[in-house]
Structures are given as C-alpha cells and as structure tokens.
Amino acid sequence: MSPLAALLLSTTLAAQTGPGLPNLSYAPEQLFEPVGFIESPEGHGNVTLLHGYLLTIYSSDGGGNEENGGFELWDISDPASPTLFRRYDDADPPGLREAHGYTVARLGDRLLLAAQAVEGIQLWDVTDPAAFSLLSYLDLEGIDKGDYSGAWWTYWQAPWLYVAGVDSGLYVVDASDPASPALAARLPTGDLAGLSPAQCWAVGNLLVLAESKGLGLATLDISDPVAPRMLSKINGKLGYSHIFAGDGKILTSGSVPPRAYVHQVSSAGVITHEATFGLYFD
C-alpha cells in the first residue's frame, strides 16, 4: 500500500466498509505480470482507494464527453477476480471528463470528491460508498471540452479548491458551501509567466504547477488563497505527467526517449533539477 493510499484509508476509517487491499504472496514467475483486470464502460485515467474499495472514474479518451462518464467502486480483496460493488453512471447529470487528477477531502463531517468536468468541475458527497450524491456542477469560463485542454487537475485545500486549466490558467474555487461553489480567483496564463497549467498541488502555503507535454514548472505563494503570488518558474524537462511527493520532489516521466526526471522544490519555492534516469519503457 502506498503512503497516499494509507493516508486516505486512515482518514476515512470510520466510513470504511470495503475489505481494502490484501497483503498477498506471489510466485517468482508472477512478478511484473498482470494479476487481474478491471473493465469499465470506458477507460480510466486515475484510481485510488476509498472506503476500502478501489475507486475508478471512467470516461472516453480525448477529454471525455457528456454521455459516458461515471464512477465505480470495486472489491479487490481477491485481486485476480475484482467484483463490482457500485456503479454511478453519469448520464444524468452529464459531464464527467477523463479523470487525470480528481481529489478527495474532508469538509466538516463529510467526505467530498472534486472531479473534472467537460466544462468545469463537479463536487460529490462520497461519505457513504453506497450512496454517492452530486452536490454541484460549476461551469468555469474558459473551460471547454478538449483532449489536451480544459480542466485537467483539481486539488483541495479545503474549503479552497485549485483547478488547473490547460490554456486557460489557474482557478481558485471557494467550496465552503459545496452545494454552491463559487469562483474566487482566476490567474490566466499571462499572469503565470506563460505557463499553461495541467497539474497542481497545494501544500501549506505553497502551490506547485506543471505543464503536460511541456517544460513549465512553477511555484506560487497561496498564503492568501484568493491571491496566489508567483514565486518561481523554470523550464524543466519534457514529460507527459508529473507527481509531487516526498520531501518536495517533482517526478516527471513520459518523454521520448523514455526518461524520468527529478526536480527539488525548496520551502521558499525555488525549483532545481536534481537527477535524470534512463528507463526501458516506451
């Protein structure tokens, strides 16, 4: 179990009803081989553990569309034979997009999920795994359907929600009333030194932004959540996707030829390249 999964499980322990992820032993010939498969109506972009189940969001490739997105919760106590616990199909109301970076947070006594939508974001109450409910759909100006555009990533620092909009900039949403969220601030790409944000992470007073299939990496001071202030921007290393983790490391992969890159972010928001690794995956 990853530290992130462990953290998420610990914060939702009171509501946990699923069996979680088993700790099994495998034969040497099973290493690096698929153990089991999950097939949904459309493809997945990101998964996590929620209430002891594996949460998947499915939507069509190319940014998703209004007709075919949804949520699933899977029992993976037997990884070789996952079983579907619950499916929430998104046909009514429509709008879930390809799930690159949805995010979960506690607000009061509720567990909320913020997911990217074709034209903005959706907020869901996921406190009870057997009864997900849509709280709101916030249409964000400048966010439209697109594969490498639109709302790519959400990140809670409750009650504030940060949304990375490729080609449209950074959005700050006040979700203190999740049934009626409101746009609190927007920084277009021109206010981000030209960076077109695809991914964002908020940690304390620091916000980290990264481009997808681009070089841009940036940090912002969010001590005032509705007035983010640029700290640093660099041209990093070309990659498709990033993770911000550990002691402030940005991990980048997906370039051609295949490489993984490591950048370090200081507490002051300074970004420096630390290492490059050669990989043997395409």
Side-chain angles (χ1 to χ4, degrees), residues 63 94-98 115-122 137-138 143-145 150-152 154:
L96 279 174
R97 68 154 288 155
E98 196 178 353
Q116 306 96 288
V118 172
E119 295 183 345
I121 57 167
Q122 292 185 1
Y137 186 151
L138 178 62
I143 297 296
D144 297 302
K145 179 181 176 181
W152 249 60
T154 64

Side-chain angles (χ1 to χ4, degrees), residues 72-245:
E72 291 175 335
L73 291 170
W74 289 85
D75 180 335
I76 55 171
S77 55
D78 179 2
S81 183
T83 58
L84 182 64
F85 168 73
R86 203 73 157 186
R87 174 178 292 154
Y88 299 91
D89 193 79
D90 187 44
D92 184 22
L96 279 174
R97 68 154 288 155
E98 196 178 353
H100 297 120
Y102 57 87
T103 182
V104 179
R106 283 209 173 275
L107 193 62
D109 60 353
R110 290 192 291 181
L111 191 66
L112 303 181
L113 182 144
Q116 306 96 288
V118 172
E119 295 183 345
I121 57 167
Q122 292 185 1
L123 299 183
W124 290 75
D125 187 330
V126 296
T127 309
D128 182 352
F132 281 15
S133 61
L134 178 68
L135 299 174
S136 55
Y137 186 151
L138 178 62
D139 192 344
L140 294 173
E141 183 179 356
I143 297 296
D144 297 302
K145 179 181 176 181
D147 192 358
Y148 294 102
S149 61
W152 249 60
W153 204 267
T154 64
Y155 204 94
W156 281 102
Q157 196 165 77
W160 306 103
L161 181 69
Y162 295 90
V163 182
V166 178
D167 299 330
S168 53
L170 174 70
Y171 298 80
V172 184
V173 174
D174 181 354
S176 51
D177 179 2
S180 184
L183 180 64
R186 176 186 175 186
L187 276 68
T189 58
D191 291 346
L192 298 171
L195 183 139
S196 180
Q199 296 170 297
C200 60
W201 301 269
V203 181
N205 290 335
L206 188 68
L207 186 75
V208 177
L209 300 179
E211 292 182 324
S212 177
K213 302 188 75 173
L215 297 172
L217 301 171
T219 55
L220 288 81
D221 180 348
I222 52 171
S223 52
D224 181 351
V226 299
R229 180 176 61 86
M230 285 285 293
L231 294 173
S232 176
K233 176 185 178 289
I234 70 166
N235 283 333
K237 304 295 183 178
L238 186 63
Y240 177 80
S241 189
H242 312 267
I243 295 173
F244 183 58

Side-chain angles (χ1 to χ4, degrees), residues 208 217 242-244 248-252 261-263 265 271:
V208 177
L217 301 171
H242 312 267
I243 295 173
F244 183 58
K249 286 184 170 58
I250 302 172
L251 310 176
T252 302
Y261 304 100
V262 181
H263 288 81
V265 180
I271 308 169

